[in-house]
Amino acid sequence: MARKRRGSGKPTIMDVAREAGVSAITVSRALRTPKQVSDKTRTKVDSAIRALGYTPDPAAKALASHRSDIIGVILPSVTNSVFQDTLRGIYEVAETAPYRVQLGNTQYSAAEEERLLRGLLSQRPAGLILTGVDQSASTAGLLRGADFPIVQITEIGPAPFDMMVGFSHSQAAQLAAEHLVAAGYRRIAFLGARRDARSTRRLSGFRAVLEAHGLYDPGRVLFSEQPSSVPLGAAQLGELLDMDPKADAVLCNNDDLALGALFECQRSGIDVPNAFGICGFNDIDTMAVTHPALTSVRTPRREIGRQAMTMMLARLAGEDPGPTTRNLGVDLMPRASTARAA
Amino acid sequence: MARKRRGSGKPTIMDVAREAGVSAITVSRALRTPKQVSDKTRTKVDSAIRALGYTPDPAAKALASHRSDIIGVILPSVTNSVFQDTLRGIYEVAETAPYRVQLGNTQYSAAEEERLLRGLLSQRPAGLILTGVDQSASTAGLLRGADFPIVQITEIGPAPFDMMVGFSHSQAAQLAAEHLVAAGYRRIAFLGARRDARSTRRLSGFRAVLEAHGLYDPGRVLFSEQPSSVPLGAAQLGELLDMDPKADAVLCNNDDLALGALFECQRSGIDVPNAFGICGFNDIDTMAVTHPALTSVRTPRREIGRQAMTMMLARLAGEDPGPTTRNLGVDLMPRASTARAA
DNA sequence: ATGAAAGCGCTAACAG
DNA sequence: CTGTTAGCGCTTTCAT
């Protein structure tokens, strides 16, 4: 045994080349750009690969090409249900392609986002999907002129780094607020959990509409330090009614808060929708089956994920991704929880 | 310009070595095994690293060492709420360590699990966390004698590949079934969504208890092709009462089914708990705030994730991971939905 | 405690 | 369409 043999035992591209009677680079090309290899050669290479059970080594590929097969996906929270559907859409499309998704959690922190991004950049990602439009200046600096595709998701705004797919959170909240006003509610509150850029934009949409009707009262806006949850919604509804017993409706920044609010009303014997209206946000599938069913704003979360990854893959394949900024819009889903007898 | 210069422009370990006046290998050791380097040298290296803004290249490291910094995490579903909490626990601990989590979705398919595992193995993972104890024979073949730590999570069973942390699903269901019987229900049904190994084990626990009391009726066991959801629970409750109008309680295989069942009872005017008892499984935080509050079996999902990753990191650091097979147990959380007047 | 040389498995660059 | 050569940035091996 020669003393310098460090091989892993697994077949390498050289083994395949030998077996097929060609050079290593030809195997490499047969794998990456099959069109540049003759049919005959490709067939020989393919069967050599199968015969040996060859699998390319991603580390060697990344080292030699300065490009990994990693698509970074940076989200505020990997485990928040709001991002579940988006993540599902991302994975559904990603699983059809030869890339790996590398997830990162910012925990709603711009500093953490930058830290994650730096870690990702050291891996020379093939592409990046990230959330929102509120990156810090130094994060933006790292991203401007990046040599890989970038998709910003969930929101839309001016000056994308590259591509963008989402909807206007302010408009979405306006739609809900208009609905509550039109339904006849007058003392409408806003419940939110931990405040972030998107919830702030939703509040501003809500506020604009209520002010236009002369109905806005900052005393009926509640945020929390806690993450969004059903118990929080229940607690906040109690708090609201302590502060303003005459409040007659809530726009909840998240469906789970709306669910909690509904349970609290049931417990307190408050008549929904006649004495009190409830509107959620996102329209998770639970909303349609509660009793009474809950009004919500349907957001295209899964479609955002699907389209983001589809655009990404098109770019990576050198194809036309189509429109690079996409506002997917939202739909109001009026249900019993805001259908007042009049 | 020499024509063969392919460098990435980023500082390499050689640049650091030059700056610090040492050799590349010394920089490498200062980074990986600081104790093997003198204080003086380490200081010089550290400041050179800072001066240059050096970041190690993970691909080069993986190629040279035959070991990446990837910890694979293979779950049936990345976006199923049941695994959210486990995933959160995993990330909470992982984020403290210099490893990357690489997620994989089996979509409840053993074949997909094997495919994912093969992809992961080509990356020479530092470790692997995977779900359950029902791997296919060929998956097991790939894992027996693997040269990295493995933790199986969510279930416990005989013959772990390496380490294991979870609970007995059969025992958990027994606990719930005993509770329903003790509460005075007699025509107890079982609602489940898509059937997998764990739901099958829960059913067997349920069945064993009911049979011991002479109460088991297979006509009151419902499964579905669909994934678990609140609307499914509502639909299944309707189906159950069509088939057996005298059914007087359900053990739901998942909390979302129990929620759906509750809403359906509210809609139909069925008195919970006096006319009908409902028990869920997992005890998500919503259960405590519904009206009436829902009984459930609390499962240690987050703790499973935390302990799995903690054991993993201990192994990777060459430390003692403590007990390598851990049954974390479950707790019955009795609430109003099964508190019959008597 | 530190270093020199060789090599990990692959692809970029250039050539034919 | 195919091949040769020289690296990518790091760690292993062996030596001092």
Side-chain angles (χ1 to χ4, degrees):
Chain A
M1 291 290 272
R3 78 158 169 66
K4 278 288 168 69
R5 206 71 229 116
R6 284 195 289 158
S8 56
K10 297 189 357 175
T12 74
I13 204 168
M14 268 301 295
D15 298 321
V16 175
R18 208 154 19 226
E19 174 87 12
V22 298
S23 70
I25 189 67
T26 298
V27 176
S28 177
R29 284 196 273 248
L31 250 24
R32 290 176 301 134
T33 49
K35 287 168 198 166
Q36 288 178 30
V37 172
S38 74
D39 284 8
K40 215 181 99 197
T41 306
R42 197 167 49 244
T43 309
K44 280 191 299 185
V45 169
D46 286 349
S47 53
I49 287 175
R50 239 166 306 124
L52 299 176
Y54 168 73
T55 322
D57 181 325
K61 174 184 279 195
L63 180 58
S65 67
H66 295 300
R67 197 50 74 205
S68 73
D69 56 359
I70 290 172
I71 296 176
V73 173
I74 296 183
L75 299 173
S77 164
V78 172
T79 52
N80 178 326
S81 62
V82 179
F83 295 105
Q84 286 318 307
D85 296 309
T86 301
L87 205 49
R88 185 178 329 157
I90 288 174
Y91 271 104
E92 279 170 4
V93 177
E95 279 162 0
T96 67
Y99 292 96
R100 287 179 283 154
V101 169
Q102 177 72 51
L103 237 62
N105 256 302
T106 68
Q107 290 158 131
Y108 296 91
S109 148
E112 182 61 16
E113 177 170 61
E114 184 179 338
R115 208 187 59 76
L116 282 170
L117 180 59
R118 289 185 185 279
L120 201 62
L121 291 177
S122 79
Q123 300 175 49
R124 307 202 157 271
L128 173 65
I129 293 177
L130 79 172
T131 310
V133 297
D134 299 287
Q135 285 71 31
S136 72
S138 53
T139 294
L142 294 171
L143 256 25
R144 292 265 164 237
D147 58 348
F148 49 79
I150 300 173
V151 188
Q152 284 162 279
I153 58 170
T154 301
E155 284 191 83
I156 50 168
F161 295 115
D162 180 6
M163 299 176 281
M164 194 171 253
V165 51
F167 60 89
S168 162
H169 289 250
S170 157
Q171 264 179 31
Q174 284 177 42
L175 206 61
E178 292 286 11
H179 169 75
L180 288 168
V181 173
Y185 299 105
R186 287 296 170 267
R187 301 176 67 93
I188 306 171
F190 184 95
L191 298 188
R194 212 162 30 182
R195 200 165 179 153
D196 67 8
R198 284 163 293 285
S199 39
T200 299
R201 277 185 199 105
R202 297 205 279 258
L203 174 59
S204 76
F206 169 85
R207 177 176 180 164
V209 167
L210 264 65
E211 281 179 341
H213 291 274
L215 298 172
Y216 183 70
D217 180 345
R220 283 194 290 266
V221 173
L222 274 75
F223 275 97
S224 168
E225 296 302 301
Q226 296 169 54
S228 193
S229 70
V230 176
L232 177 61
Q236 283 186 311
L237 190 81
E239 221 180 296
L240 169 67
L241 293 179
D242 282 350
M243 290 166 51
D244 180 356
K246 288 184 171 168
D248 65 1
V250 273
L251 172 54
C252 298
N253 200 19
N254 230 313
D255 285 338
D256 46 12
L257 299 179
L259 272 167
L262 174 62
F263 295 136
E264 188 61 27
C265 287
Q266 291 179 345
R267 178 170 302 105
S268 309
I270 296 171
D271 175 6
V272 175
N274 293 312
F276 198 86
I278 301 177
C279 179
F281 197 93
N282 279 323
D283 199 38
I284 60 174
D285 59 7
T286 301
M287 305 303 270
V289 300
T290 56
H291 184 71
L294 285 159
T295 295
S296 193
V297 178
R298 176 168 293 175
T299 56
R301 304 182 299 290
R302 181 150 160 202
E303 193 56 25
I304 286 172
R306 296 187 61 87
Q307 292 199 23
M309 188 51 86
T310 303
M311 290 161 90
M312 173 64 67
L313 294 178
R315 262 288 168 70
L316 290 173
E319 294 158 10
D320 176 10
T324 56
T325 294
R326 305 180 186 183
N327 182 350
L328 264 33
V330 299
D331 293 301
L332 181 74
M333 305 298 288
R335 299 202 181 90
S337 70
T338 55
R340 234 183 181 177
Chain B
M1 288 288 273
R3 78 157 169 67
K4 278 289 169 69
R5 205 74 225 114
R6 285 195 286 160
S8 57
K10 299 187 358 175
T12 72
I13 204 168
M14 268 301 294
D15 298 322
V16 176
R18 208 153 21 225
E19 174 86 11
V22 298
S23 70
I25 186 61
T26 299
V27 176
S28 176
R29 284 195 272 249
L31 250 25
R32 290 175 303 134
T33 49
K35 287 169 197 165
Q36 290 180 27
V37 171
S38 74
D39 283 9
K40 216 181 98 200
T41 305
R42 197 168 48 245
T43 309
K44 281 191 300 184
V45 169
D46 285 349
S47 54
I49 287 175
R50 239 167 304 124
L52 298 176
Y54 167 73
T55 321
D57 181 325
K61 174 184 279 195
L63 180 58
S65 67
H66 296 299
R67 195 51 74 206
S68 73
D69 56 359
I70 290 173
I71 296 176
V73 174
I74 296 184
L75 299 174
S77 165
V78 172
T79 53
N80 178 325
S81 62
V82 179
F83 295 104
Q84 285 318 308
D85 296 308
T86 301
L87 205 48
R88 185 179 328 158
I90 287 174
Y91 271 104
E92 279 170 6
V93 177
E95 279 161 0
T96 66
Y99 292 95
R100 290 179 282 153
V101 169
Q102 177 72 50
L103 240 72
N105 256 301
T106 69
Q107 290 157 133
Y108 296 92
S109 147
E112 182 61 16
E113 179 170 60
E114 184 179 339
R115 207 187 60 75
L116 283 169
L117 179 58
R118 288 184 186 280
L120 201 62
L121 291 178
S122 79
Q123 300 173 52
R124 306 203 157 268
L128 172 65
I129 293 176
L130 79 172
T131 310
V133 297
D134 299 288
Q135 285 71 31
S136 72
S138 52
T139 294
L142 293 170
L143 256 27
R144 290 269 163 235
D147 57 347
F148 48 80
I150 300 174
V151 188
Q152 284 162 280
I153 58 171
T154 302
E155 285 191 82
I156 50 167
F161 294 114
D162 181 6
M163 298 177 281
M164 195 171 253
V165 52
F167 60 89
S168 161
H169 289 251
S170 155
Q171 262 178 32
Q174 285 177 41
L175 206 62
E178 292 284 12
H179 169 75
L180 288 169
V181 172
Y185 299 106
R186 288 295 171 267
R187 301 176 67 92
I188 306 170
F190 184 95
L191 298 187
R194 212 160 32 181
R195 201 164 178 155
D196 68 7
R198 284 163 292 286
S199 38
T200 299
R201 276 186 198 103
R202 297 205 280 257
L203 174 59
S204 76
F206 169 84
R207 176 177 180 163
V209 168
L210 264 66
E211 281 180 341
H213 290 275
L215 297 172
Y216 184 69
D217 179 345
R220 283 194 290 266
V221 174
L222 273 74
F223 275 97
S224 167
E225 295 303 300
Q226 295 169 55
S228 194
S229 71
V230 176
L232 177 62
Q236 284 186 311
L237 190 80
E239 221 179 298
L240 169 67
L241 294 180
D242 281 350
M243 289 165 51
D244 181 357
K246 289 184 168 168
D248 65 1
V250 273
L251 171 54
C252 298
N253 199 19
N254 230 312
D255 285 338
D256 46 12
L257 299 178
L259 273 167
L262 175 62
F263 294 137
E264 187 60 27
C265 286
Q266 291 179 344
R267 180 170 302 104
S268 309
I270 296 171
D271 174 6
V272 175
N274 292 313
F276 198 86
I278 300 178
C279 178
F281 196 93
N282 279 324
D283 199 38
I284 60 174
D285 60 7
T286 300
M287 304 305 270
V289 300
T290 57
H291 183 71
L294 285 159
T295 296
S296 193
V297 178
R298 176 168 294 175
T299 56
R301 303 181 299 289
R302 180 151 162 201
E303 193 57 24
I304 286 172
R306 296 187 62 87
Q307 292 199 23
M309 188 53 88
T310 304
M311 289 161 89
M312 172 64 67
L313 294 178
R315 262 290 168 71
L316 290 173
E319 295 159 7
D320 176 10
T324 56
T325 294
R326 304 180 185 184
N327 182 351
L328 264 36
V330 300
D331 292 302
L332 181 75
M333 305 297 288
R335 300 202 181 89
S337 70
T338 54
R340 235 184 181 174

